[in-house]
Amino acid sequence: MSMISVSERDFITKGIDASIRADGRGRQDLRDLRLETGMITQASGSCRISIDGGTDVLVGVKVEVGSVEPDLEGEAEVEAVGDDEEGGEVAGRDRDVGRVVCTVDCSPSATRIFDPRDVEDMCNEYSQFLNRILNGPHGGLDLKSLCIVPGSTCWILNIDALILDYGGNLLDAILIATRGALHNTRIPRTMVEQSDGHVEFDIAEEETEVVNGWENVPACVTVTKIGSRHIVDATPLEEMCAEAQIRVAVNRKGHLCAVQKSGKGGIDPSLLADMLQTGKVIGQALLKSTDAALEQDAQRIERGEPALGFFRLE
Amino acid sequence: MPQEIVSPEGLRVDGRRERELRKISCRTGVFSQADGSAYLELGNTKCLAAVYGPREPTRRAMQLHDRAVINVEYNVASFSMGERKQKLRKDRRLMEIASMIKQTFEPVILTKEFPRSEIDIYLQILQVDGGAVHAAINAATLALLDAGIPMTDYVAACSAGYVGDTPILGKGRTIICFKVAQRIYDVIPTDLNYIEESAEVPTLTVALLPKTGKVTMLGLEARLHLDKFAEVINLAADGCTQLHTELDKTIRKAAQSLAKTAI
């Protein structure tokens, strides 16, 4: 499966040049996505995305209480500022935010295609990409609202993406599924009490809150350069013909949140601008359609209908 | 005070009776790319199985000249347990379970029909509420049948425990109450869930070939008195038979719908 013949490569490249793809799509057409949330009842939130053509990703979010990351870089600065603030309330850069830890893992059924060594590299690369986007300043999530006690405790969102099957365009699917899972996640409400300099917090059993800012999480579009043209949502064969790929993360407002180039080939600057523009337009369209689907799914959950999950007829 | 595993009325934590299995739902043909696949839900435990094969072995050195090699990979998702568990690269416990499942299926699959080839069974646990191993075995059976791989019989697996006059449960209870309730507490629950498994109830996992009643896999990791052993294993076998009926129903339904479309 990880081999492609010269004729196949030629067929695909020439076809894309003439704007014809193997499955009949245009160069900027996405495949149909199927989205469902809430199937893993033990997780705080979950979402499954399956693309017609094979790619199947399941993202589970578990929240846990943890300690705030010490602001190692900012400490020197903070001390220099002076001691006019009370201890424990120093507003260092990372002292009053929660955090997100992303891991991407490959289920054994998906690893059959890849070399085992490549699998680990790929999972690592995707995990780092997700971590950078979601923990960064434009990740969209309101990390401050995850803080319970400034300077000591916060909520940690553990996002675990599980790749169930591979059919191309993995990273885009993972990020959409992450967004869906965050939409579905419910964090228990905490009540913070201050008494005699001691700060205590209590976790409510029944009440939960939504993750603030999930709608601002960007969507990723992988634009693949083949020959002198570019396509989106590549199938595995098209990915093998690719000279270079640009991953564009764009949010609801149309801002570019992250851009990453991968692949061995070089990209002409004018083509690069074109690809970024394509990524941005398609990304926004993708966000709109996903949000509509999430809205529908939320209504299904409100109606009390259980998730069909894997019982949905293909 | 340990949590009451069985109430005085004979009801378990989730309201089941002694011999009741959890709700089973299963489905084959989940992944279009795999040769055979299945999804199984035993109560809250959810398991996916994908089977590829018989196909060319990925490593030439692995092939056997007279039969197929069976490869099992068992993976548990990080979000599947109550507490999130970071998956280690080579978790030995998972490898042991995979090896155990391989040994369970090796005598059942007609490997001699496919020399020099490989059959891969990939198991993914999505959510655990006790009984992950026996759910995986049942899902693997369904997936193998969905892939059309010939087997001598179904492999049905179930677990059973023993809640009764054991020193483990005696801890923390006042002697008086316990003696009065002693008779009621000799319970042998089948298909244990997470609460029961983690309450130190000795759990016996059994995999059975329903036609002959032969046991292909047996696992017990706690103390169980030999006198009680026969009872427990009989009940587990009973549970396996019930599960076999469900699995058979699913396969027949899938086969019938295939037969219809073939026309």
Side-chain angles (χ1 to χ4, degrees):
Chain A
M1 261 313 230
S2 51
M3 292 185 288
I4 187 171
S5 72
V6 182
S7 331
E8 273 179 311
R9 189 185 287 271
D10 200 41
F11 176 75
I12 291 179
T13 315
K14 292 230 169 75
I16 288 178
D17 231 3
S19 299
I20 306 169
R21 290 165 77 169
D23 50 7
R25 285 183 285 153
R27 280 186 288 129
Q28 304 197 355
D29 290 338
L30 298 171
R31 284 173 291 185
D32 280 331
L33 276 182
R34 254 202 314 274
L35 179 152
E36 203 165 25
T37 57
M39 317 107 68
I40 309 289
T41 41
Q42 268 180 311
S44 314
S46 56
C47 178
R48 178 182 171 221
I49 292 275
S50 35
I51 301 182
D52 254 354
T55 298
D56 211 320
V57 174
L58 177 61
V59 173
V61 178
K62 282 192 95 77
V63 296
E64 64 177 351
V65 179
S67 48
V68 174
E69 248 171 19
D71 185 17
L72 299 162
E73 292 165 64
E75 291 235 304
E77 279 180 50
V78 166
E79 276 177 24
V81 163
D83 234 50
D84 49 347
E85 286 151 328
E86 287 178 47
E89 285 191 27
V90 177
R93 251 191 333 227
D94 294 326
R95 300 223 123 210
D96 59 348
V97 289
R99 56 180 193 279
V100 175
V101 179
C102 306
T103 329
V104 176
D105 191 21
C106 222
S107 168
S109 54
T111 55
R112 58 173 179 109
I113 314 205
F114 309 111
D115 212 354
R117 291 156 297 182
D118 288 345
V119 170
E120 214 170 317
D121 280 341
M122 181 189 78
C123 288
N124 199 27
E125 188 194 328
Y126 292 167
S127 310
Q128 293 304 314
F129 186 74
L130 279 181
N131 269 318
R132 272 204 308 271
I133 291 191
L134 292 173
N135 277 314
H138 302 289
L141 290 176
D142 186 5
L143 293 176
K144 277 214 164 78
S145 67
L146 295 176
C147 182
I148 306 175
V149 178
S152 74
T153 3
C154 64
W155 283 113
I156 303 180
L157 294 178
N158 287 310
I159 301 181
D160 295 301
L162 188 63
I163 302 171
L164 295 171
D165 208 359
Y166 171 70
N169 210 29
L170 268 181
L171 192 56
D172 303 7
I174 291 176
L175 202 45
I176 294 280
T178 306
R179 206 155 172 280
L182 286 168
H183 159 92
N184 183 240
T185 305
R186 298 288 179 266
I187 307 180
R189 201 180 288 265
T190 49
M191 278 100 50
V192 184
E193 286 171 1
Q194 236 173 348
S195 47
D196 299 327
H198 259 334
V199 187
E200 281 177 9
F201 64 93
D202 210 12
I203 301 179
E205 287 288 322
E206 297 296 323
E207 295 167 27
T208 54
E209 335 182 288
V210 183
V211 177
N212 281 330
W214 71 266
E215 64 275 358
N216 294 323
V217 172
C220 176
V221 177
T222 304
V223 188
T224 312
K225 172 179 182 267
I226 297 179
S228 56
R229 313 281 197 157
H230 56 272
I231 54 168
V232 289
D233 196 3
T235 59
L237 281 177
E238 288 167 347
E239 280 186 355
M240 276 192 271
C241 301
E243 286 162 27
Q245 288 185 316
I246 301 266
R247 305 194 200 280
V248 182
V250 62
N251 70 7
R252 248 182 358 164
K253 303 192 192 118
H255 297 159
L256 287 185
C257 302
V259 175
Q260 183 174 309
K261 177 206 170 285
S262 57
K264 296 173 256 187
I267 305 180
D268 194 70
S270 55
L271 182 59
L272 182 64
D274 247 346
M275 288 167 84
L276 287 175
Q277 183 61 22
T278 309
K280 178 176 161 219
V281 167
I282 299 204
Q284 283 185 286
L286 185 60
L287 280 170
K288 259 210 196 103
S289 62
T290 317
D291 282 350
L294 281 174
E295 185 54 50
Q296 267 188 336
D297 213 49
Q299 283 172 0
R300 170 189 61 81
I301 294 179
E302 242 167 83
R303 285 198 298 266
E305 288 167 20
L308 274 177
F310 292 92
F311 292 112
R312 182 193 296 274
L313 294 164
E314 302 288 322
Chain B
M1 186 71 120
Q3 189 176 8
E4 223 176 40
I5 299 302
V6 182
S7 77
E9 296 89 37
L11 289 175
R12 290 152 70 177
V13 209
D14 49 7
R16 284 187 284 155
R17 292 242 160 233
E18 190 178 307
R19 283 154 206 257
E20 254 183 87
L21 292 176
R22 288 175 287 184
K23 174 165 180 268
I24 309 163
S25 347
C26 42
R27 195 198 144 191
T28 54
V30 179
F31 292 133
S32 49
Q33 309 258 56
D35 290 326
S37 55
Y39 174 70
L40 183 99
E41 271 186 26
L42 259 182
N44 277 330
T45 301
K46 302 185 163 98
C47 177
L48 263 180
V51 168
Y52 289 92
R55 59 177 177 173
E56 198 174 325
T58 43
R59 280 172 289 171
R60 272 297 180 77
M62 293 282 293
Q63 69 184 17
L64 294 169
H65 70 279
D66 62 341
R67 55 193 135 102
V69 175
I70 302 185
N71 217 11
V72 176
E73 270 191 52
Y74 179 83
N75 193 11
V76 178
S78 319
F79 45 74
S80 60
M81 311 274 299
E83 299 263 320
R84 179 182 177 265
K85 202 177 118 184
Q86 179 73 40
K87 189 192 134 175
L88 299 159
R89 200 64 228 135
K90 281 193 193 275
D91 192 330
R92 299 206 177 258
R93 174 84 184 124
L94 296 181
M95 284 165 72
E96 189 212 354
I97 295 179
S99 158
M100 193 169 66
I101 296 181
K102 172 181 159 156
Q103 286 168 21
T104 311
F105 280 102
E106 235 160 18
V108 187
I109 299 178
L110 287 133
T111 48
K112 295 248 160 97
E113 304 283 317
F114 311 107
R116 289 181 299 277
S117 61
E118 178 178 89
I119 298 175
D120 297 309
I121 308 176
Y122 298 126
L123 300 160
Q124 176 72 49
I125 304 282
L126 298 174
Q127 193 172 287
V128 182
D129 182 19
V133 176
H134 72 255
I137 294 180
N138 292 322
T141 304
L142 283 176
L144 282 164
L145 289 170
D146 189 48
I149 292 179
M151 305 203 292
T152 55
D153 198 354
Y154 282 76
V155 181
C158 191
S159 67
Y162 186 75
V163 178
D165 189 3
T166 64
I168 302 166
L169 277 182
K171 263 192 236 162
R173 290 181 184 273
T174 61
I175 311 281
I176 304 166
C177 295
F178 194 68
K179 278 207 174 125
V180 166
Q182 203 167 325
R183 239 177 303 145
I184 303 173
Y185 277 117
D186 262 5
V187 165
I188 305 181
T190 353
D191 194 17
L192 281 74
N193 62 22
Y194 182 70
I195 298 176
E196 290 162 345
E197 272 184 8
S198 47
E200 296 180 10
V201 173
T203 312
L204 178 76
T205 308
V206 169
L208 202 68
L209 302 181
K211 265 198 300 209
T212 48
K214 285 196 179 156
V215 173
T216 53
M217 193 275 282
L218 193 82
L220 173 67
E221 276 174 18
R223 262 191 328 204
L224 180 62
H225 201 286
L226 206 54
D227 291 345
K228 312 289 178 198
F229 187 76
E231 263 187 273
V232 175
I233 199 173
N234 279 332
L235 214 66
D238 195 36
C240 289
T241 321
Q242 287 183 52
L243 270 163
H244 160 70
T245 324
E246 279 306 314
L247 298 179
D248 194 38
K249 233 195 279 176
T250 311
I251 293 286
R252 283 183 196 277
K253 207 166 69 169
Q256 270 168 7
S257 64
L258 269 178
K260 276 200 205 112
T261 54
I263 301 167

